[in-house]
Amino acid sequence: MTVIGCGYLGAVHAAAMATLGHDVVGLDTDESRIALLVQGRTPFYEPGLDELLAESLATGRLRFTTSYAEAAEHGEVHFLCVGTPQRPDSNAADLTAVFAAVGSLAPLLERPCLVVGKSTVPVGTAEVLREQLAATAPAGSDVRLVWNPEFLREGFAVRDTLEPDRLVVGADDPAHAEELAAVYAPILERGTPWLVVDLATAQLVKSAANAFLATKISFINAMAELCEATGADVVALADAIGHDARIGRRFLGAGLGFGGGCLPKDLRGFMARAEELEVPEALAFLSDVDDINLRRRRHAVDVAVELLDGDPAGKHVAVLGAAFKPDSDDIRDSPALDVADALHDLGAHVVVHDPRALDNARRTRPELTYADDPLDAVRGAHVVLHLTEWADYRALDPVELAGLVAVPRALDARNSLDAPRWLAAGWDLRALGRPRLSDQVRA
Ligand code: UDX
C-alpha cells in the first residue's frame, strides 16, 4: 500500500501499517521531510513514533519516496493523508493538497486499486474526488474510493492508530469496505467496532466528532465564566457533572481552551460548509463555541495584567508551555503562544519555556525570549504563567521556584498544578474559573 502525505497523520499511519505486516511506501512532496524519514527520523515530536518507525524500517516493509510514479506502481491500496488547513482568506478548508495529490496519482493508476481518503475534508469532497478518479485514471471505474476518517490525537497518535476505539468507512459499495477491512484485519480481530456507512456520513462523522469535542470544552469554559462571576469553582463543578455517565468527565478540562492544527480549523471549516449547503443556522452555535474559546486567551491576559498590578510594561513574565497541548511540539494555533504574544505587545519581557516546542516557537514568534530550562525562564519573574500542562511543570518544586522569582505570583491557566503545594510555598496562585486560591486557603 501507499500513504500519500507524511505529516502527523501519514507518517504514523505508514509506520503502523508496516507493523501490521503490509508492504508500505510513504510519499510526500516535501523532500526534506522524506530525507528525515528514510533515516528513521521524524520531522516532529510524537511519543513512540521514533521506535515504531525504527521497527518498521528494520522489517524492510517500509520505505519512503517523493515519486508518484513509484507510488502508483507499488500500491493496491492508496491512503490519502495530506493536510487540509484553514484557508488564509476565509473559514473554509484549503483542499489544494487533496486535489493536487489525486491529480498527480490518478493519471498513473493503470491497475484496479482502492483509494482510501483519510484527510479531514468538507462533506461532499469525496464525491468530487470519486468523479475525478473515474474520469482521469486509466483504470477508470476499477479505481474504487472509500472514506476512512481518522480520529488520532497528537501525543497518542501511535496508540490511536493501532488501537482505535472504532473504525469508520464510507463506501458506495459494501464490497469496497470489505477490501479495507482486509487491510485492518489484525485490528478488527481484536473486536474493534467497524462501522460501514455511506460516503457523506463518513466525512460528516469526523467533522461532527471534532465539533462535539470543541463544544464540550467551550461548554465547561463558559461555566468557568459563570464561576468567575459567582465565586464558584469550575473544577469541582466539572467533577460533579462528570459523574453523570451521560455527560462524562473527559474533555471537561476548563482553562485556556483548545488550539492545535485540528479542532479550531475543523470547527470553522464545518461552519463554512454549512453555509455553502445553505443550512448555516444548523451550525450557528459553533460560532459561540469558537468565541468562548478565544475569550479564554484574552481573559488569561487580563488576569496576568492584574497579577502585574495593572502595569505589564517592562515586567518579566515567565511562560511555562508553548505547545498547544502537552506531549507535542505542535504550536499551531497555540493558546499559550497567543497569551505570550499579547503580553509582549503590552510591553512585558516575556520568557517562554517548553520541553519540546521551543524550536518551532522560536521560528514563528522570534519577538519572544526563550529559555531552555524552566528555572531560567522564571528567574527574576514578576509573574509565572502555566499555560501548557506538561508533566514536567507539575514536577517543579514551588519552594525552589519561589526562591528564584522576583514576586511569587502565578496563574495556573490549565488547572493542573498542585495548588495546596504552591500556596504552602508562599505563592499567590490564581486559576481560571476558580476562586482566588490564596484567599480560599487563608479563609
Ligand atoms: C483532536 C481530536 O481529539 C482528534 O480526535 C482529532 O483527530 C484531531 O483533533 P488533537 O488536536 O491532537 O486531537 O488534541 P486534543 O487532545 O483533542 O486537544 C485539543 C485541544 O483541546 C488542546 O489544545 C487541549 O489543550 C484542549 N483541551 C482538551 C482542553 O482545553 N480541555 C480538555 O478537557 C481537553
Side-chain angles (χ1 to χ4, degrees):
M1 64 187 52
T2 75
V3 175
I4 297 175
C6 291
Y8 278 102
L9 167 58
V12 178
H13 194 68
M17 291 302 103
T19 63
L20 293 187
H22 298 301
D23 192 358
V24 183
V25 168
L27 179 149
D28 202 292
T29 51
D30 181 337
E31 288 183 10
S32 58
R33 179 174 287 179
I34 292 298
L36 281 177
L37 287 166
V38 294
Q39 297 167 42
R41 289 164 57 202
T42 46
F44 43 77
Y45 172 66
E46 180 60 44
L49 181 56
D50 282 347
E51 294 79 357
L52 189 76
L53 204 55
E55 196 187 311
S56 305
L57 287 167
T59 63
R61 288 195 302 268
L62 175 63
R63 58 182 208 273
F64 291 97
T65 184
T66 55
S67 158
Y68 272 99
E70 187 181 341
E73 171 59 31
H74 176 81
E76 289 159 28
V77 177
H78 300 281
F79 284 100
L80 292 178
C81 295
V82 296
T84 54
Q86 184 176 337
R87 289 170 58 111
D89 54 347
S90 78
N91 270 349
D94 181 350
L95 299 176
T96 311
V98 176
F99 285 106
V102 172
S104 302
L105 182 68
L108 304 169
L109 297 176
E110 301 195 351
R111 287 177 282 128
C113 62
L114 185 70
V115 175
V116 186
K118 289 189 81 67
S119 305
T120 300
V121 293
V123 57
T125 308
E127 292 79 350
V128 178
L129 295 172
R130 180 185 58 199
E131 304 316 317
Q132 187 184 350
L133 283 164
T136 57
S141 58
D142 283 340
V143 176
R144 282 93 52 185
L145 176 75
V146 296
W147 214 262
N148 172 222
E150 179 58 56
F151 307 103
L152 67 79
R153 298 159 297 167
E154 290 177 22
F156 299 91
V158 172
R159 197 175 81 195
D160 286 350
T161 303
L162 286 168
E163 297 164 42
D165 46 20
R166 80 292 209 190
L167 285 164
V168 177
V169 59
D172 291 327
D173 179 339
H176 302 166
E178 278 312 302
E179 290 179 49
L180 187 61
V183 170
Y184 290 134
I187 297 175
L188 293 174
E189 277 158 16
R190 291 198 302 266
T192 306
W194 170 246
L195 294 108
V196 180
V197 297
D198 57 84
L199 273 182
T201 304
Q203 295 163 87
L204 268 178
V205 164
K206 171 66 191 218
S207 304
N210 275 358
F212 190 89
L213 293 171
T215 303
K216 203 169 175 191
I217 298 169
S218 277
F219 176 85
I220 201 64
N221 281 330
M223 294 305 112
E225 292 185 353
L226 280 160
C227 287
E228 278 152 15
T230 55
D233 182 338
V234 74
V235 176
L237 183 141
D239 288 343
I241 63 172
H243 275 294
D244 185 329
R246 294 169 301 173
I247 296 173
R249 181 64 175 82
R250 293 177 73 188
F251 266 66
L252 287 181
L256 205 47
F258 58 82
C262 290
L263 293 193
K265 65 105 178 160
D266 287 347
L267 190 73
R268 295 174 196 145
F270 201 17
M271 284 187 277
R273 187 64 184 133
E275 269 178 41
E276 286 168 9
L277 293 166
E278 296 180 6
V279 284
E281 61 282 3
L283 298 185
F285 74 98
L286 290 181
S287 163
D288 281 334
V289 168
D290 201 9
D291 287 347
I292 293 165
N293 190 51
L294 295 177
R295 275 209 298 276
R296 297 321 280 167
R297 302 179 191 188
R298 293 197 291 276
H299 181 59
V301 174
D302 291 344
V303 174
V305 170
E306 209 182 291
L307 287 169
L308 293 166
D309 301 319
D311 181 16
K315 299 273 177 62
H316 174 167
V317 174
V319 165
L320 299 181
F324 84 101
K325 69 172 195 180
D327 300 315
S328 169
D329 64 358
D330 194 345
I331 53 156
R332 287 175 293 172
D333 203 345
S334 164
L337 283 179
D338 270 6
V339 170
D341 245 357
L343 287 161
H344 169 81
D345 288 346
L346 292 172
H349 172 59
V350 183
V351 185
V352 181
H353 173 267
D354 190 281
R356 293 279 175 177
L358 280 188
D359 288 347
N360 288 337
R362 275 194 182 102
R363 239 189 331 270
T364 57
R365 316 253 186 163
E367 66 281 8
L368 302 172
T369 304
Y370 295 96
D372 292 320
D373 186 304
L375 301 186
D376 290 337
V378 305
R379 194 167 281 115
H382 298 99
V383 70
V384 174
L385 308 179
H386 176 241
L387 304 184
T388 310
E389 69 275 33
W390 286 91
D392 307 45
Y393 299 142
R394 289 195 291 283
L396 290 172
D397 176 2
V399 175
E400 185 183 5
L401 259 56
L404 295 175
V405 293
V407 187
R409 286 185 184 164
L411 167 64
D412 178 9
R414 293 294 183 179
N415 288 323
S416 67
L417 295 177
D418 183 348
R421 247 183 103 209
W422 281 65
L423 295 168
W427 286 81
D428 178 1
L429 182 68
R430 293 282 297 272
L432 298 182
R434 311 191 77 181
R436 261 191 108 97
L437 298 168
S438 348
D439 294 351
Q440 241 185 348
V441 165
R442 280 184 202 114

